[in-house]
Amino acid sequence: MGSHSLPVPSTPAGRDGLAALLADPQRAVVALDFDGTLAEIVPDPEQARAHPGAVPALARLAPRLGSVAVITGRPAAVVVHHGGFAGVAGLERLVVLGHYGAERWDAVADTVTADAPPPGVAAARAELPGIVAGSGAGRGTWIEDKGRAVAVHTRRAPHPQDAFDALSGPLHALADRHGLIVEPGRLVLELRPPGVDKGAALTSYVRESGARSILYAGDDLGDLAAFAAVEKLRSEGLPGLLVCSGSSEVAELAGRADVVVDGPGGVVELLTALADRLGDA
């Protein structure tokens, strides 16, 4: 199966992270974002599906690792459905951390557990349609209710970046009024509680799992917090490898990555190469 070769990380820290994963895979955590990393970015997020090779690659790789986690801003159940992760042989230990860790789906129980919903989000949600309409960015923009967060997408607007820019100020003001923060992404602005991000979710999961190494793959501004968490863990002596899915839209993420791959297809190739290296059971 040696058809996929592993990329050589561009940094010493990344090379150390990959070496640690390969040396002791049963104590390694592989954590991945969903949209843009395991699934292609599409105009309607409800149509997002895992890359066709993602589940087979993960099902080969996961039994050789300590654990595999998908970390997403979306509800956990949505990503489990869109990913096709439930009931897959080899993914019995998969965990999906939804809403930046406020929700958790475990494959073994096939259930979602969740923290209490945060205050402030409901109040902001009620005001949001009027604010979007009043911003002049109305046509083609749409509001996604994430339960613990609420997001405004501008990808379908006639001038997506102009609509994004027009909404930025009003949404920051709305967030301030309700004790929320604004997380910008690729033509999306999300309002959610502070102190909830992929970095916090990843750090707590790594500590809980007792991992000796970590690989994190992401593609968007929301993944910067997870990259920062891995950098902090590395500074504390835990080896880690940072992977960026695609280099074009988020230059800052690509610049901090040890490995840049070509979108979800490249992520699948990397996961397959890891499974090849660690050997089929």
Side-chain angles (χ1 to χ4, degrees):
M1 289 293 298
S3 57
H4 297 83
S5 58
L6 279 171
V8 177
S10 60
T11 65
R15 292 191 285 276
D16 289 347
L18 179 57
L21 186 156
L22 294 173
D24 191 5
Q26 290 294 322
R27 300 294 297 275
V29 168
V30 169
L32 308 122
D33 167 51
F34 184 70
D35 291 284
T37 302
L38 288 174
E40 297 287 354
I41 294 285
V42 292
D44 178 2
E46 289 309 305
Q47 301 304 313
R49 295 294 182 269
H51 183 285
V55 166
L58 285 170
R60 280 187 59 215
L61 179 60
R64 296 162 179 74
L65 300 172
S67 64
V68 174
V70 176
I71 304 181
T72 175
R74 297 229 232 175
V78 169
V79 166
V80 171
H81 177 258
H82 289 190
F85 297 134
V88 176
L91 295 186
E92 292 85 1
R93 288 181 291 168
L94 179 71
V95 171
V96 176
L97 302 175
H99 286 307
Y100 305 98
E103 287 187 350
R104 176 173 177 149
W105 175 85
D106 284 277
V108 66
D110 193 19
T111 55
V112 175
T113 54
D115 302 339
V121 174
R125 185 185 300 118
E127 288 184 48
L128 202 50
I131 287 171
V132 172
S135 70
R139 190 160 71 86
T141 61
W142 62 282
I143 296 167
E144 180 186 8
D145 183 356
K146 296 187 172 187
R148 298 169 176 279
V150 60
V152 182
H153 294 261
T154 67
R155 195 172 282 272
R156 298 184 203 157
H159 301 287
Q161 189 63 47
D162 291 348
F164 180 95
D165 294 342
L167 281 165
S168 184
L171 292 192
H172 276 89
L174 174 65
D176 288 345
R177 284 202 299 281
H178 296 294
L180 305 173
I181 60 165
V182 176
E183 177 78 60
R186 285 152 75 164
L187 300 175
V188 58
L189 291 153
E190 182 173 306
L191 284 76
R192 57 185 166 84
V196 179
D197 62 40
K198 290 180 183 177
L202 180 62
T203 300
S204 65
Y205 185 73
V206 166
R207 298 216 189 286
E208 169 203 322
S209 68
R212 295 288 179 86
S213 65
I214 171 76
L215 180 156
Y216 183 81
D219 74 302
D220 201 355
L221 294 170
D223 297 303
L224 285 171
F227 269 41
V230 172
E231 289 163 354
K232 185 170 191 303
L233 288 165
R234 291 200 295 207
S235 76
E236 297 167 4
L238 186 90
L241 179 67
L242 292 169
V243 178
C244 179
S245 167
S247 59
S248 57
E249 287 204 48
V250 184
E252 186 180 352
L253 204 69
R256 285 168 69 174
D258 306 305
V259 171
V260 179
V261 298
D262 188 14
V267 172
V268 167
E269 287 187 13
L270 173 62
L271 297 173
T272 302
L274 280 171
D276 288 349
R277 177 68 69 90
L278 296 173
D280 277 319

